[in-house]
Amino acid sequence: MDNDCIFCKINAGLIPANIVFRSNHCFVIEDISPKAPVHILIIPKVHVKSLSGIPSSNDSLSADIFDTASKIANSKNLNGHGYRLVINQGPDAGQTVEHMHVHLLGGKVLGEMG
Ligand code: AMP
Ligand code: ZN
């Protein structure tokens, strides 16, 4: 836990948020500022700043992130229409919270990336 990290605080119950799902390694919340009708964040429980901070040996965490994203997409009935997973990594991508997380966006036709 990083005491200055908003996502660590949410996971510890120190900041209120609607945690919609917990897996072994992740918790899932609705984005506070949604960019699409469905905008979910899949967040590792462990404080990892960025993708490169995930140890390559930790394949169970990597698998859990994708498994959780797939489960959430299913639960939101997004498989037929489609959805997008996004990781903003570092300043050029506009990462604002330095605790690695995956955005799941859907429920509308999404614009082009980049
Ligand atoms: P990123 O820009 O990729 O680092 O994404 C950070 C995301 O966290 C943004 O989409 C924010 O809207 C979202 N966010 C920040 N604070 C909260 C919060 N307290 N609860 C839910 N989502 C949040
Ligand atoms: Zn954190």
Side-chain angles (χ1 to χ4, degrees):
M1 154 126 198
D2 179 325
N3 290 325
D4 295 324
C5 171
I6 191 164
F7 288 167
C8 284
K9 286 182 178 169
I10 288 173
N11 187 37
L14 300 173
I15 292 179
N18 186 19
I19 298 184
V20 296
F21 184 75
R22 285 185 194 274
S23 63
N24 282 347
H25 296 285
C26 300
F27 64 101
V28 176
I29 60 174
E30 299 199 348
D31 198 291
I32 203 169
S33 176
K35 306 290 188 297
V38 177
H39 189 170
I40 300 275
L41 302 175
I42 296 125
I43 309 172
K45 292 175 187 172
V46 63
H47 181 80
V48 175
K49 271 193 183 175
S50 63
L51 195 57
S52 56
I54 294 184
S56 52
S57 58
N58 200 343
D59 53 356
S60 57
L61 171 55
S62 310
D64 191 328
I65 291 169
F66 284 106
D67 185 47
T68 301
S70 172
K71 280 185 177 138
I72 297 294
N74 271 328
S75 75
K76 298 281 181 186
N77 292 318
L78 290 175
N79 276 326
H81 289 285
Y83 58 95
R84 181 172 291 156
L85 301 178
V86 173
I87 299 172
N88 290 322
Q89 166 73 41
D92 277 2
Q95 182 177 8
T96 57
V97 178
E98 287 201 335
H99 177 138
M100 184 267 170
H101 52 280
V102 178
H103 298 255
L104 190 162
L105 298 145
K108 70 170 186 178
V109 176
L110 300 161
E112 281 186 36
M113 291 195 293

